[in-house]
Amino acid sequence: MADTYLKYLGWALSDKSPLVRAKAVAAIAALYQDSENVPRLHEFARRFTPRFTELMSDVDEAVAAAALHLLAQLVKHGALGHEAVSDVFSVLSQENAALRRAAAGLAVQLLQEHGRASVTRAAAALQAAADAAADAQPAGRAKGARGKASSRGKAGTAAAGQSAAAAAAAAML
């Protein structure tokens, strides 16, 4: 796949004919079906993202629906962030059922990707809190007369670890 030819697909997205625009969207979507193509399409997607998102509101409903499917693929492959397609939720109220279905597919993809990112952030925050709690825990103390102080120290360290975990979880939200 030569990058020099991809620009013609990008340009076809702005053609006067809805049929040409629809075929261009379909061709780009077909390229994203093969996961080996995805890394090579990164620059292309970056360059044409504004046009991809504009196509959500294309005057031809078939083109708009195809564009929504393409945008869902781009989100799935990490080539597009949720901020670029935040307008998809307004499409959910369109009268055309095909547009609503396509918009719902994109919305689901956005929510899944957002959920994965949130889980990853939560896991990292909890791991950091656990590491901080482990670092704050004193090395083994001698038993005996200081046993009561030692157990109070452990309780204080556990509380500090819990506070750190709570703070990390709150920071995620």
Side-chain angles (χ1 to χ4, degrees), residues 3 9 21 36 41 52-53 87 116 152:
D3 190 38
L9 281 176
R21 292 193 306 274
E36 290 181 20
L41 292 168
F52 295 156
T53 57
D87 291 341
R116 285 186 195 105
R152 271 186 263 139

mmCIF file of all heavy atoms in Angstrom, residues 3 9 21 36 41 52-53 87 116 152:
data_model
loop_
_atom_site.group_PDB
_atom_site.id
_atom_site.type_symbol
_atom_site.label_atom_id
_atom_site.label_comp_id
_atom_site.label_asym_id
_atom_site.label_seq_id
_atom_site.Cartn_x
_atom_site.Cartn_y
_atom_site.Cartn_z
ATOM 1 N N ASP A 3 1.585 5.162 0.239
ATOM 2 C CA ASP A 3 0.996 6.355 0.843
ATOM 3 C C ASP A 3 0.630 7.401 -0.211
ATOM 4 O O ASP A 3 -0.298 8.176 -0.029
ATOM 5 C CB ASP A 3 1.979 6.933 1.863
ATOM 6 C CG ASP A 3 1.363 8.022 2.701
ATOM 7 O OD1 ASP A 3 0.178 7.896 3.055
ATOM 8 O OD2 ASP A 3 2.066 9.001 3.011
ATOM 9 N N LEU A 9 -7.887 8.833 -2.126
ATOM 10 C CA LEU A 9 -9.069 8.422 -1.360
ATOM 11 C C LEU A 9 -9.530 9.561 -0.461
ATOM 12 O O LEU A 9 -10.724 9.827 -0.340
ATOM 13 C CB LEU A 9 -8.763 7.182 -0.512
ATOM 14 C CG LEU A 9 -8.772 5.852 -1.218
ATOM 15 C CD1 LEU A 9 -8.349 4.741 -0.263
ATOM 16 C CD2 LEU A 9 -10.142 5.559 -1.792
ATOM 17 N N ARG A 21 -18.236 9.718 -2.649
ATOM 18 C CA ARG A 21 -17.895 9.838 -1.226
ATOM 19 C C ARG A 21 -18.141 8.516 -0.497
ATOM 20 O O ARG A 21 -17.320 8.067 0.306
ATOM 21 C CB ARG A 21 -18.695 10.965 -0.569
ATOM 22 C CG ARG A 21 -18.304 12.352 -1.052
ATOM 23 C CD ARG A 21 -18.879 13.465 -0.176
ATOM 24 N NE ARG A 21 -20.323 13.413 0.011
ATOM 25 C CZ ARG A 21 -21.231 13.940 -0.810
ATOM 26 N NH1 ARG A 21 -20.844 14.568 -1.915
ATOM 27 N NH2 ARG A 21 -22.530 13.857 -0.536
ATOM 28 N N GLU A 36 -2.930 -5.302 9.778
ATOM 29 C CA GLU A 36 -1.560 -4.997 9.346
ATOM 30 C C GLU A 36 -1.472 -3.625 8.684
ATOM 31 O O GLU A 36 -0.411 -3.015 8.654
ATOM 32 C CB GLU A 36 -1.049 -6.076 8.388
ATOM 33 C CG GLU A 36 -0.788 -7.402 9.071
ATOM 34 C CD GLU A 36 -0.255 -8.445 8.107
ATOM 35 O OE1 GLU A 36 0.254 -8.064 7.029
ATOM 36 O OE2 GLU A 36 -0.341 -9.626 8.436
ATOM 37 N N LEU A 41 -1.558 3.424 8.166
ATOM 38 C CA LEU A 41 -2.622 4.394 7.909
ATOM 39 C C LEU A 41 -2.651 5.521 8.938
ATOM 40 O O LEU A 41 -3.474 6.423 8.843
ATOM 41 C CB LEU A 41 -3.983 3.680 7.900
ATOM 42 C CG LEU A 41 -4.218 2.730 6.735
ATOM 43 C CD1 LEU A 41 -5.461 1.883 6.988
ATOM 44 C CD2 LEU A 41 -4.353 3.508 5.444
ATOM 45 N N PHE A 52 -13.138 13.143 8.046
ATOM 46 C CA PHE A 52 -13.874 11.966 8.528
ATOM 47 C C PHE A 52 -14.995 12.405 9.470
ATOM 48 O O PHE A 52 -16.118 11.921 9.375
ATOM 49 C CB PHE A 52 -12.959 11.002 9.285
ATOM 50 C CG PHE A 52 -11.881 10.349 8.465
ATOM 51 C CD1 PHE A 52 -10.737 9.882 9.087
ATOM 52 C CD2 PHE A 52 -11.986 10.177 7.098
ATOM 53 C CE1 PHE A 52 -9.738 9.258 8.375
ATOM 54 C CE2 PHE A 52 -10.985 9.565 6.367
ATOM 55 C CZ PHE A 52 -9.850 9.102 7.016
ATOM 56 N N THR A 53 -14.679 13.315 10.374
ATOM 57 C CA THR A 53 -15.686 13.736 11.353
ATOM 58 C C THR A 53 -16.768 14.597 10.710
ATOM 59 O O THR A 53 -17.925 14.530 11.121
ATOM 60 C CB THR A 53 -15.036 14.477 12.535
ATOM 61 O OG1 THR A 53 -14.298 15.586 12.056
ATOM 62 C CG2 THR A 53 -14.124 13.548 13.319
ATOM 63 N N ASP A 87 -19.538 14.793 18.839
ATOM 64 C CA ASP A 87 -20.824 15.180 18.247
ATOM 65 C C ASP A 87 -21.695 13.978 17.888
ATOM 66 O O ASP A 87 -22.857 14.151 17.504
ATOM 67 C CB ASP A 87 -20.604 16.020 16.984
ATOM 68 C CG ASP A 87 -20.017 17.387 17.293
ATOM 69 O OD1 ASP A 87 -20.116 17.823 18.454
ATOM 70 O OD2 ASP A 87 -19.460 17.994 16.366
ATOM 71 N N ARG A 116 -11.977 1.065 28.854
ATOM 72 C CA ARG A 116 -10.648 0.440 28.908
ATOM 73 C C ARG A 116 -9.619 1.415 29.452
ATOM 74 O O ARG A 116 -8.787 1.046 30.270
ATOM 75 C CB ARG A 116 -10.228 -0.039 27.522
ATOM 76 C CG ARG A 116 -10.920 -1.276 27.073
ATOM 77 C CD ARG A 116 -10.350 -1.781 25.738
ATOM 78 N NE ARG A 116 -11.252 -2.746 25.166
ATOM 79 C CZ ARG A 116 -12.063 -2.517 24.146
ATOM 80 N NH1 ARG A 116 -12.043 -1.363 23.531
ATOM 81 N NH2 ARG A 116 -12.876 -3.447 23.703
ATOM 82 N N ARG A 152 0.409 -0.261 66.746
ATOM 83 C CA ARG A 152 -0.172 1.041 66.411
ATOM 84 C C ARG A 152 0.487 1.617 65.173
ATOM 85 O O ARG A 152 -0.154 2.222 64.339
ATOM 86 C CB ARG A 152 -0.018 2.012 67.584
ATOM 87 C CG ARG A 152 -1.187 1.927 68.530
ATOM 88 C CD ARG A 152 -1.100 2.976 69.606
ATOM 89 N NE ARG A 152 -0.513 2.297 70.751
ATOM 90 C CZ ARG A 152 0.401 2.801 71.560
ATOM 91 N NH1 ARG A 152 0.827 4.018 71.389
ATOM 92 N NH2 ARG A 152 0.895 2.110 72.551
#
